[in-house]
C-alpha cells in the first residue's frame, strides 16, 4: 500500500503542477507526462536539499527560506525536464501558488511519514 500512496501523491502533484502552469504566468508545463516527471524531479531535488541543509531549508520547510528554496528547486528542475519553461519570477509565483494549494491539499514528505511511523513505535 505504501507504493500506491507514493504513486497517488505524484499523480496529485502532477495535476497541481498542470493547474499552476495554467494560472501562473512564466511557468509552462508541456503536458501530463512532463508534469509527472517534473513532480519526480522536484521531489528528488527537495530531498537532496533537505539532506544537505536540513529540514528548515527545504521546499517543505516553512518561512521565507523554505519558500525561496522551493522557488530555486522549481527553477532548477526546468533544466532537467523537457517541456517545462520557467522564469525566476514564474518560479517564485509557482512556489507561492503551490504553497497555497498545499494548505488545502497537504501532501506529507517521505521523511515525515517515516518519522511518524518511528514515533508511533
Amino acid at each position: 500500500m505504501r507504493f500506491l500512496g507514493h504513486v497517488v501523491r505524484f499523480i496529485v502533484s502532477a495535476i497541481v503542477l498542470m493547474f499552476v502552469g495554467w494560472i501562473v504566468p512564466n511557468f509552462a508545463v508541456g503536458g501530463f507526462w512532463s508534469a509527472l516527471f517534473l513532480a519526480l524531479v522536484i521531489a528528488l531535488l527537495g530531498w537532496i536539499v533537505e539532506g544537505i541543509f536540513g529540514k528548515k531549508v527545504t521546499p517543505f520547510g516553512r518561512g521565507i527560506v523554505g519558500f525561496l528554496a522551493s522557488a530555486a528547486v522549481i527553477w532548477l528542475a526546468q533544466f532537467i525536464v523537457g517541456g517545462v519553461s520557467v522564469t525566476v519570477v514564474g518560479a517564485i509565483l509557482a512556489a507561492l501558488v503551490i504553497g497555497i494549494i498545499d494548505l488545502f491539499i497537504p501532501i506529507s514528505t517521505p521523511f515525515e511519514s517515516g518519522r511518524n511511523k518511528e514515533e508511533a513505535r
Side-chain angles (χ1 to χ4, degrees):
M1 193 68 171
R2 182 180 170 126
F3 175 75
L4 184 60
H6 288 298
V7 170
V8 169
R9 183 170 59 111
F10 282 113
I11 290 172
V12 169
S13 296
I15 292 169
V16 167
L17 286 169
M18 290 178 63
F19 176 72
V20 170
W22 182 65
I23 64 170
V24 172
N26 301 320
F27 182 86
V29 180
F32 177 76
W33 293 109
S34 291
L36 186 62
F37 191 52
L38 181 62
L40 289 169
V41 169
I42 288 172
L44 179 65
L45 289 175
W47 179 74
I48 291 169
V49 167
E50 183 175 332
I52 294 171
F53 298 109
K55 183 74 173 160
K56 301 276 185 202
V57 188
T58 66
F60 305 109
R62 301 291 179 237
I64 189 72
V65 175
F67 171 74
L68 292 175
S70 178
V73 164
I74 292 168
W75 184 77
L76 286 172
Q78 75 171 327
F79 299 112
I80 300 169
V81 181
V84 176
S85 175
V86 183
T87 64
V88 173
V89 173
I92 291 170
L93 291 174
L96 178 66
V97 171
I98 290 170
I100 292 169
I101 291 171
D102 189 46
L103 290 172
F104 299 104
I105 307 172
I107 299 174
S108 67
T109 68
F111 299 108
E112 290 171 0
S113 62
R115 287 182 190 135
N116 292 340
K117 286 181 182 177
E118 290 176 9
E119 291 172 4
R121 291 183 193 168

